[in-house]
Each structure stands twice: as structure tokens, then as C-alpha cells.
Amino acid sequence: MFKIRKILLLLPVFLLLLIVLIIPPQKLIHLKSNFSIIFRGPLRIAYQVYLYAKNSKKIFSLYSEFQRLSEENQSLLFEVNQLKEMELENLRLYKIVDFKSVLEYKFVAAKVIGKEPSNWLDSLIIDRGITDGIYLNQPVMNFAGVIGKIIEVDTETAKVLLISDINSRVVVKIQRTRQEGMLEGLGRGLCRLKYLPPDAELKTGDVVVTTGMGGVYPKGLVVGKVEGVRIKQGESYKSCIIRPEVPLSDIEEVLCLKSDSGQ
Amino acid sequence: MFKIRFRTVRFVFIAYIVLIFQASLINLISFKNCKPDLVLLSVIFFGLYNGPRRGTWCGLGLGLCLDVLSSAGFGVNGVILGFIGYFSGLLQERVYATHFLTHILVPFAAGILQVFLYYVLAANFYRVLAISESLIFIAGYVAYTAAINIIFFKILDRLVILRTTKLTI
């Protein structure tokens, strides 16, 4: 009798389990969004404290960093001038061949206010929502490259599934060789590029860019660089480890790409 | 007229702080992207000190709140932490809650149970990394969480278990 009473204590857990198993996760997202309001304010403050504490560690290396950046700035200015010329030339050529331009995208800038609390998934919480024009499956990036896409959105916040999440899939290609493959998350800030042809020529440091297929990410956005090539026995394709161009554990601000068509 | 258990109010407040901490400041002490799970430790703590009934409810509540902050399907963490709260509560009369070894071994076992339940449950909804690929990470996560608990239980002990006060309004 005593044991049965103790087992009955698990009844709410089994009820929840039943709910979780029966109701599709997509239908419960709205419920999640409604509750997220209770964490929004304090989470925003706590994340700012986290960033402040994290950045304060770097203060000792600031001078040498400043010197390095000054030198880099000089060479980049030279590069920018060259690129401006090329951009104008590109635009002229686009007009000639009547190409659909990538420049039709606009950005919504957002601040990161929280990170995935568990160790098993990779996601971020940002401080923009439906009221700012954020929508599901919207691509998220910063100036360095692709970060992920929006998977949950409420009125004032949204969740971004990082490209390093195990559930993330992006069709990409190696910029140098133009060979296509599927980029999937590997967790812990890394990705794996799969389904490359067995004869694919890969080099460490090769840049990986989006192909535009799949309808989420526009073409030509930098995703990351090849870090290590793996050939598994018995597999008919080549795969390699990709380190995302954006250090996914240190993101402070993101840009949500907005197409002119709205969604 | 109703009574508020001061200890419960205090625990709710601490649980809220722990959740906020887990989604932000915990990353300061993450090692190779592995961070200790303070929410799990809070559930174990509350279960150990308050028995299976409260342990279960505490696990359910904290798990559902964690689901709100996480990109996991709603209810997954609720179920997992509900079970862990229940089993921690069952240990209340079987182990010395204040013993040093309890503070290490119970979170270690709970961490393994959490990973097992996660793999069983989460695989229904989304892809999970093959155990063979993440075995080292799992071992590191469980060990790190158990190690952090030596300090964390002491902090919670001071904050929550000081005394039970009944306020009458």
C-alpha cells in the first residue's frame, strides 16, 4: 500500500509525459512563448553582466590588440577601396544580365539576451520579436557569417537555432571547388559537412558558403572554414569538420536578414 | 487568511535566480562548451531535503521553466527533472543529505539518469548526437556537475535550509 502511494506521486510526471508524447511540439510553442515573459527582463540584465564579466578578462590584452588591429585596419582600408571598385563593376554587370540581386535583403539588428541552458542543444535568445518583424525560419547572421535561423518567436523575443545545433541543416558549397554538401550541426560550436563526392578536393582553411537552396539562407553567405577532413571506411561520401566563421559561443549582437517580400 | 511558508517562497526565488543564471552567467565557468547543470542540482537538493512528493513537483516546475528558456520541446525537461526529483526524494530516508559523499555521488548518478532519459525521450522529437560521439562530453558533463555541487549544495544549504518560518497574513 505504502509503495503504491509512493509510485502514485509520479502521476503528474506521467501525465506530462503523455501530453508531451501526444501533442506535437509545434502546438506547444505558443505556450512556451507566453511563459517566456517572466524571464525576459532579468535575463537581459544577467546576460549583460555575463558579457561585462567576460569582456573584463580581456582588458589586459587590449593594448597589444589595439596595435594589431591598427595594422590590420590599414590593409583592410586598402582592400575596401579595391572592393568598392569591384562592387560597382558587379552592379553594372548585374544590370546587364538582369540578375536578381542579393542586396534586396535588409537587416534587423538584435541583442543576445540569453543562451541555451542545457548542454545538449545550441540556441540563443534575442531581444527582437514579431513586433520588430521577426518571423520563423528567418536567417540570422552577423558581419562575419551565418549564425542560424529563427525557430521560435513571440512578441518581443525570439530563439535562434545555431548552425552548430545537431538539428540544423544547411546546403552549402566549398567556395574554391564549388562542390556542394550538407552542413549539419555537431554540437559544442562545430559543424560537419557531409555528402561531398569521394573525389572532392579539400584543404584545411577552405571557405564554405551557402548555396541558396532550401529557401532559408540566401546564396553566398560565409558559413565557416574546413578544419579537418574525415574519411570513414564504408561511407560512399567524404565529410569534414567545419568551424563556423562566427565564434558561436561569443555572440553579442546578431542581424536578422529580412527579405523585401516580408517572409 | 492564508499561510505562506517562508521557506517555499525563498526556494521559488532561488529557483528563479538559478534558471536565469543557467541561461546566462553559467557560461563564465563553462569548460570546452560544457557547463554544469545548476537546475539539476537544485532539483536533487530539494528532493533530498523534502522527500519524493515535493521533489517531483519541484522537478516538474523547474523542468518546465527550463523548457521555456530552451529550444527543446516543451515538457521534455519537465518529465526528466520530475523523475529525478522523485528519485532524489526517495533517497531522503536512505542517505545522509549533509554527507560529503552524498553531495558528489547523488548528482553523479542523477546526471547519468538525466542523460539516459534525455536520449530516450528527446530522440522522439529531434535528432540527438550518437552516444559514441559524445561519450567523453557526457562523462565530462556529469563529473563537472558533480564537482560543482560541493560548493553549490553549501550555498543552497545556507540560503534555504536555515529555518522554516510561517508567516501569517
XYZ file of all heavy atoms in Angstrom, chain B residues 129-169:
325
model
N 22.758 13.587 -30.730
C 24.083 13.132 -31.146
C 24.285 11.685 -30.678
O 23.869 11.329 -29.570
C 25.136 14.043 -30.523
C 26.455 14.187 -31.252
C 26.245 14.780 -32.627
C 27.389 15.053 -30.453
N 24.906 10.866 -31.531
C 25.154 9.466 -31.156
C 25.975 9.405 -29.873
O 26.908 10.200 -29.693
C 25.898 8.781 -32.289
N 25.603 8.471 -28.987
C 26.289 8.374 -27.690
C 27.790 8.150 -27.904
O 28.618 8.717 -27.192
C 25.676 7.252 -26.831
C 24.290 7.708 -26.365
C 26.557 6.920 -25.620
C 23.629 6.847 -25.339
N 28.119 7.337 -28.925
C 29.539 7.059 -29.169
C 30.325 8.334 -29.463
O 31.504 8.444 -29.128
C 29.677 6.082 -30.335
O 29.060 6.641 -31.477
N 29.654 9.305 -30.069
C 30.338 10.559 -30.430
C 30.435 11.529 -29.268
O 31.248 12.442 -29.278
C 29.603 11.247 -31.596
C 29.868 10.598 -32.925
C 29.313 11.425 -34.068
O 29.853 12.487 -34.351
O 28.316 10.995 -34.673
N 29.552 11.359 -28.294
C 29.546 12.353 -27.209
C 29.823 11.735 -25.838
O 29.520 12.342 -24.824
C 28.209 13.088 -27.204
O 27.161 12.176 -27.223
N 30.403 10.545 -25.833
C 30.654 9.855 -24.569
C 31.601 10.645 -23.652
O 31.339 10.786 -22.449
C 31.233 8.457 -24.851
C 30.965 7.408 -23.792
C 29.479 7.226 -23.544
C 31.595 6.080 -24.185
N 32.656 11.186 -24.249
C 33.628 11.949 -23.452
C 32.967 13.202 -22.901
O 33.153 13.572 -21.737
C 34.875 12.314 -24.298
C 35.590 11.026 -24.704
C 35.822 13.220 -23.531
C 36.658 11.199 -25.746
N 32.152 13.832 -23.750
C 31.464 15.053 -23.324
C 30.498 14.743 -22.174
O 30.440 15.478 -21.191
C 30.698 15.655 -24.509
C 29.996 16.933 -24.178
C 30.704 18.121 -24.089
C 28.633 16.954 -23.937
C 30.059 19.305 -23.765
C 27.983 18.121 -23.611
C 28.697 19.307 -23.534
N 29.755 13.632 -22.312
C 28.795 13.258 -21.272
C 29.531 12.990 -19.950
O 29.122 13.470 -18.892
C 27.972 12.017 -21.702
C 27.027 12.390 -22.845
C 27.184 11.436 -20.532
C 26.361 11.210 -23.525
N 30.639 12.248 -20.044
C 31.415 11.936 -18.838
C 31.915 13.228 -18.192
O 31.832 13.396 -16.960
C 32.583 11.036 -19.198
N 32.404 14.145 -19.025
C 32.894 15.422 -18.511
C 31.789 16.230 -17.865
O 31.967 16.806 -16.792
N 30.618 16.236 -18.521
C 29.474 16.995 -18.012
C 29.024 16.464 -16.647
O 28.824 17.238 -15.692
C 28.327 16.923 -19.029
C 26.963 17.154 -18.434
C 26.584 18.417 -17.991
C 26.058 16.095 -18.281
C 25.348 18.624 -17.430
C 24.821 16.298 -17.722
C 24.466 17.559 -17.291
O 23.235 17.762 -16.722
N 28.908 15.135 -16.554
C 28.442 14.527 -15.296
C 29.458 14.794 -14.180
O 29.091 15.181 -13.059
C 28.203 13.001 -15.496
C 27.900 12.334 -14.176
C 27.064 12.767 -16.468
N 30.751 14.618 -14.504
C 31.795 14.821 -13.492
C 31.853 16.293 -13.058
O 31.966 16.599 -11.864
C 33.140 14.383 -14.047
N 31.746 17.191 -14.028
C 31.829 18.627 -13.726
C 30.647 19.063 -12.852
O 30.818 19.787 -11.868
C 31.845 19.406 -15.052
C 32.208 20.879 -14.938
C 32.808 21.385 -13.797
C 31.966 21.750 -15.988
C 33.152 22.725 -13.716
C 32.304 23.096 -15.915
C 32.892 23.567 -14.772
O 33.221 24.895 -14.677
N 29.449 18.591 -13.221
C 28.253 18.947 -12.449
C 28.373 18.428 -11.012
O 28.068 19.146 -10.051
C 26.986 18.368 -13.128
O 26.923 18.861 -14.461
C 25.725 18.757 -12.397
N 28.859 17.181 -10.866
C 29.012 16.605 -9.526
C 30.051 17.386 -8.720
O 29.870 17.626 -7.520
C 29.405 15.140 -9.631
N 31.129 17.791 -9.396
C 32.186 18.525 -8.692
C 31.708 19.898 -8.227
O 31.976 20.315 -7.093
C 33.405 18.675 -9.601
N 30.972 20.582 -9.086
C 30.450 21.919 -8.750
C 29.505 21.838 -7.555
O 29.379 22.759 -6.758
C 29.729 22.522 -9.984
C 30.729 23.047 -11.001
C 28.728 23.616 -9.598
C 31.457 24.330 -10.601
N 28.872 20.671 -7.414
C 27.871 20.513 -6.372
C 28.440 20.657 -4.963
O 27.722 21.008 -4.032
C 27.187 19.147 -6.526
C 25.916 19.093 -5.737
O 25.184 20.059 -5.706
N 25.675 17.994 -5.061
N 29.736 20.391 -4.816
C 30.349 20.514 -3.485
C 30.140 21.934 -2.968
O 29.769 22.149 -1.814
C 31.859 20.176 -3.549
C 32.026 18.745 -4.057
C 32.513 20.346 -2.186
C 33.449 18.395 -4.431
N 30.311 22.909 -3.848
C 30.121 24.310 -3.443
C 28.630 24.660 -3.481
O 28.116 25.300 -2.570
C 30.889 25.259 -4.403
C 32.340 24.841 -4.520
C 30.772 26.700 -3.937
C 33.050 25.388 -5.730
N 27.968 24.207 -4.546
C 26.570 24.623 -4.768
C 25.639 24.178 -3.633
O 24.778 24.954 -3.192
C 26.096 24.074 -6.113
C 24.773 24.613 -6.556
C 24.637 25.950 -6.904
C 23.657 23.810 -6.605
C 23.419 26.465 -7.306
C 22.434 24.310 -7.010
C 22.310 25.642 -7.357
N 25.811 22.947 -3.160
C 24.957 22.461 -2.068
C 25.180 23.299 -0.806
O 24.253 23.554 -0.049
C 25.257 20.984 -1.783
C 24.193 20.058 -2.318
C 23.622 20.296 -3.562
C 23.764 18.959 -1.596
C 22.647 19.449 -4.065
C 22.786 18.100 -2.097
C 22.230 18.350 -3.332
N 26.436 23.704 -0.591
C 26.732 24.512 0.603
C 26.016 25.869 0.514
O 25.478 26.369 1.500
C 28.241 24.713 0.735
C 28.941 23.483 1.292
C 30.306 23.835 1.849
C 30.858 22.724 2.714
N 31.061 21.467 2.032
N 26.030 26.443 -0.687
C 25.358 27.742 -0.873
C 23.862 27.574 -0.651
O 23.239 28.335 0.111
C 25.638 28.310 -2.291
C 27.123 28.607 -2.459
C 24.825 29.564 -2.543
C 27.552 28.917 -3.893
N 23.273 26.555 -1.294
C 21.824 26.335 -1.141
C 21.475 26.020 0.306
O 20.445 26.468 0.818
C 21.377 25.182 -2.043
C 21.131 25.479 -3.512
C 20.493 24.287 -4.192
C 20.224 26.680 -3.714
N 22.329 25.258 0.951
C 22.100 24.878 2.339
C 21.949 26.127 3.218
O 21.068 26.227 4.054
C 23.299 24.051 2.805
C 22.890 23.074 3.882
O 21.682 22.819 3.995
O 23.768 22.572 4.598
N 22.816 27.092 2.980
C 22.758 28.331 3.766
C 21.535 29.170 3.410
O 20.959 29.831 4.261
C 24.018 29.175 3.520
C 25.196 28.621 4.267
C 26.427 29.454 4.079
N 27.467 28.956 4.953
C 27.938 29.624 6.000
N 27.443 30.802 6.294
N 28.882 29.121 6.742
N 21.172 29.136 2.129
C 20.079 30.004 1.684
C 18.699 29.444 2.001
O 17.769 30.180 2.291
C 20.185 30.244 0.172
C 21.358 31.084 -0.311
C 21.431 31.052 -1.824
C 21.218 32.518 0.157
N 18.554 28.118 1.927
C 17.209 27.537 2.006
C 16.912 26.884 3.338
O 15.838 27.033 3.914
C 17.001 26.496 0.877
C 15.585 25.964 0.883
C 17.319 27.097 -0.455
N 17.857 26.134 3.870
C 17.537 25.251 4.983
C 17.717 25.910 6.355
O 17.563 25.292 7.371
C 18.392 23.952 4.870
C 18.089 23.270 3.547
C 18.152 22.940 5.951
C 16.671 22.772 3.398
N 18.022 27.182 6.380
C 18.278 27.834 7.666
C 17.167 27.565 8.683
O 17.402 27.118 9.775
C 18.462 29.330 7.463
C 19.790 29.731 6.819
C 19.801 31.208 6.503
C 20.948 29.391 7.731
N 15.952 27.841 8.314
C 14.842 27.601 9.221
C 13.528 27.646 8.452
O 13.464 28.189 7.357
C 14.813 28.621 10.357
C 14.632 30.040 9.876
C 15.108 31.003 10.932
N 15.355 32.311 10.341
C 14.509 33.297 10.370
N 13.329 33.157 10.907
N 14.813 34.464 9.849
N 12.515 27.078 9.068
C 11.190 27.144 8.451
C 10.373 28.160 9.236
O 10.152 28.010 10.424
C 10.500 25.785 8.521
O 11.377 24.836 7.946
C 9.193 25.787 7.770
N 9.948 29.192 8.550
C 9.196 30.238 9.226
C 7.798 30.318 8.620
O 7.657 30.233 7.412
C 9.878 31.610 9.013
O 11.265 31.434 9.203
C 9.343 32.660 9.950
N 6.814 30.425 9.456
C 5.453 30.568 8.925
C 5.008 32.011 9.109
O 5.042 32.546 10.207
C 4.507 29.632 9.657
C 4.605 28.197 9.164
C 3.632 27.320 9.880
C 3.799 25.875 9.427
N 2.954 24.961 10.171
N 4.612 32.606 8.011
C 4.110 33.973 8.084
C 2.594 33.931 8.041
O 2.018 33.180 7.256
C 4.609 34.785 6.901
C 6.085 35.176 6.865
C 6.353 35.954 5.588
C 6.453 36.015 8.067
N 1.951 34.653 8.865
C 0.501 34.696 8.826
C 0.059 36.065 8.342
O 0.475 37.074 8.900
C -0.090 34.435 10.218
O 0.512 33.246 10.709
C -1.584 34.261 10.145
N -0.685 36.046 7.251
C -1.163 37.334 6.707
C -2.651 37.468 6.985
O -3.415 36.577 6.681
C -0.884 37.425 5.185
C 0.634 37.341 4.957
C -1.420 38.716 4.599
C 1.023 37.222 3.524
